[in-house]
Amino acid sequence: MLAAEFRQRFLLQTAAKAGAILHSDQHQAAVLIPIIDYGDKLHVLFTQRALHLRHHPGQISFPGGRIEAGESSCTAALREAHEEIGLAPNAVELLGTLPLQSTSTGFTIAPWVGLLQPQRSWLLQADEVAGIFEVPLTHFLQQENRHQFSLRLRGKVQQLHAMPYQDKFIWGATAAILHKLCVQIA
């Protein structure tokens, strides 16, 4: 799938339709789903959280974090991507946002989809990010690579998404967001 087809295969909410600022609740977050355009193929970029972090150590995620007071979700997603992996905000073509994603930890995540060209290098924030890796978008578009399972979390049985790739296990909110993206463009 090429970038032009990717743009046309689904309808994202634009910043105006998505609402510039989410409620100033402390449990609001935003992530950037970085789609790298290699011309003849698209890859999704992921981060692996540092192992010493208190919340979700070692888990695979998209660059992102809490929305600061008065900050829009798209600004937060771009700011966090810049802080975590050194991605310049002006290097991202924001296409729009997917529907909000709730988490079992009480967060509501605004996932922003952005296209970017391959970067010469990344500047990882070692306090937050242990590493980054890319996966071809086509891997996730194949239904057999997208799974759901039940798990008891915080006293309730939750339906979770999982999308393994090589030695990486992408699951939880990250996989649920990626599943929404795949449904949009399938």
Side-chain angles (χ1 to χ4, degrees), residues 1 8 13 16 30-31 45 68 74 99-100 116 128 134 140 144 171 173 175:
M1 176 179 299
Q8 294 173 357
Q13 293 182 11
V31 297
L45 182 132
E68 295 178 359
C74 65
L100 297 175
L116 56 136
E128 295 185 43
E134 298 175 20
F140 301 114
E144 63 269 16
W171 71 286

Side-chain angles (χ1 to χ4, degrees), residues 3-4 8 28 32-33 60-61 75 81 84-85 95 106 110 118 122 136-137 145 160 183:
Q8 294 173 357
Q28 301 293 327
L32 177 67
I33 305 166
I60 294 167
S61 61
T75 300
E84 291 180 8
I85 62 174
L95 300 180
W122 299 102
L137 178 62
N145 293 326
L160 300 173
V183 168

Side-chain angles (χ1 to χ4, degrees), residues 41-130:
K41 60 188 172 192
L42 299 174
H43 282 201
V44 182
L45 182 132
F46 296 92
T47 61
Q48 184 152 17
R49 293 173 54 85
L51 291 173
H52 69 269
L53 292 174
R54 185 173 154 201
H55 299 289
H56 314 292
Q59 287 187 6
I60 294 167
S61 61
F62 294 116
R66 286 184 190 256
I67 298 172
E68 295 178 359
E71 185 177 45
S72 70
S73 62
C74 65
T75 300
L78 292 172
R79 174 185 50 77
E80 288 284 345
H82 184 255
E83 291 173 3
E84 291 180 8
I85 62 174
L87 177 61
N90 63 357
V92 180
E93 176 192 349
L94 277 183
L95 300 180
T97 185
L98 292 168
L100 297 175
Q101 175 66 46
S102 296
T103 71
S104 62
T105 56
F107 275 85
T108 300
I109 302 170
W112 284 88
V113 178
L115 278 173
L116 56 136
Q117 296 300 308
Q119 304 295 295
R120 291 178 193 225
S121 63
W122 299 102
L123 181 59
L124 303 185
Q125 170 53 268
D127 287 343
E128 295 185 43
V129 179

